Amino acid sequence: MRELKILVINNYGQFCHLIHRSVRDLDMDTKIVANTTPVEEILDEEPDGLILSGGPTMERAGICSEYVESIDLPILGICLGHQIIAKTFGGEVGQGSSGGYADIEVEIVDEDDLLKGIGPKTSVWASHADEVVRMPEQFIRLARSNICECEAMRHEERPIFGVQWHPEVAHTEKGEKLLTNFFEICETY
C-alpha cells in the first residue's frame, strides 16, 4: 500500500497522540490537527482520510460536524468521533449504562470493508460513558455488544465510519487490522 496522508482531528481525548502514533507506525504520513481548523485548511493539506479522535465532551468537538458534512473523504470516528458522526446525521447520543474504560466483547453484525477479518467476535477497549443510543437513518449498523446496540456503523453511501471502541490501544484485538482496513478504503476512494 502506498503512503497515505491521514489527518487526526484532535478532540482532546487522552488517546489522540496514540492514534497519531499508531497511524505513523503503520507507515502513513500523519499529522494532528486542531478541531477548530477551517475546512479549507484541512483540504489544503490534501489528506487521503480523516480520523476524528475521542474526547471528553461533545462541547469540545470544535467544528467536527462541518468536516463530516462537507469533506468528501473517508472519515473514521473513534469514540467521541463516532458520536459526532451520529449526531451530525440526526442520530442520538446518550449516557451509556457502563461508564469508564473496560474490555468489551463486540459482535460483528456486518463485516463491511472496515471490519473485514475482525469478526465474528472481537475483544475491544471502550468507554460507554456516552454512546450512540439511536443510529442516524442513513447508517448501517456494523457491530453491537451486550451493553450497546451501536458499537460500529457506516454511512450507506459515503465512506464515513464510526466505532465506539479504541482501535489504537494495545487492549483492543485487531486494532491495527481495523486501521489498515480504513487505509485501504482511503487508498481506493
Side-chain angles (χ1 to χ4, degrees):
M1 183 184 308
R2 69 181 171 89
E3 182 183 68
L4 304 171
K5 185 168 194 178
I6 306 294
L7 297 184
V8 177
I9 308 299
N10 189 357
N11 286 316
Y12 309 102
Q14 60 183 328
F15 298 132
C16 181
H17 290 277
L18 192 52
I19 297 169
H20 175 257
R21 192 173 87 204
S22 296
V23 172
R24 189 191 66 217
D25 288 351
L26 291 167
D27 298 323
M28 296 298 147
D29 180 13
T30 184
K31 178 179 181 181
I32 295 175
V33 180
N35 66 8
T36 53
T37 306
V39 169
E40 305 75 49
E41 288 181 33
I42 298 278
L43 294 173
D44 286 346
E45 294 277 348
E46 298 182 359
D48 294 293
L50 304 179
I51 296 177
L52 308 180
S53 83
T57 62
M58 201 62 79
E59 291 71 42
R60 295 202 54 203
I63 60 171
C64 282
S65 284
E66 281 184 43
Y67 305 154
V68 173
E69 289 174 323
S70 62
I71 296 177
D72 185 24
L73 287 170
I75 298 174
L76 172 61
I78 295 173
C79 198
L80 179 69
H82 167 64
Q83 297 159 21
I84 291 164
I85 291 168
K87 203 163 181 185
T88 301
F89 285 97
E92 193 179 326
V93 174
Q95 194 169 8
S97 60
S98 175
Y101 287 96
D103 191 24
I104 308 291
E105 184 175 78
V106 169
E107 173 192 351
I108 308 303
V109 178
D110 183 338
E111 204 172 67
D112 194 73
D113 291 340
L114 185 69
L115 302 180
K116 70 180 180 204
I118 293 177
K121 292 186 187 254
T122 189
S123 179
V124 302
W125 190 247
S127 169
H128 287 78
D130 294 304
E131 64 188 24
V132 176
V133 294
R134 186 177 51 77
M135 260 185 5
E137 282 182 21
Q138 58 274 65
F139 277 71
I140 298 163
R141 181 175 64 172
L142 301 179
R144 62 167 301 283
S145 72
N146 64 355
I147 60 167
C148 177
E149 283 302 312
C150 184
E151 293 283 358
M153 64 181 187
R154 74 154 296 158
H155 193 279
E156 288 175 350
E157 295 163 10
R158 295 177 59 198
I160 299 175
F161 305 85
V163 294
Q164 180 67 34
W165 68 86
H166 288 269
E168 73 279 11
V169 301
H171 304 320
T172 294
E173 288 178 356
K174 301 182 184 169
E176 278 189 8
K177 176 69 175 151
L178 186 146
L179 292 173
T180 303
N181 287 346
F182 179 66
F183 303 151
E184 286 175 7
I185 292 163
C186 294
E187 186 174 40
T188 57
Y189 186 68

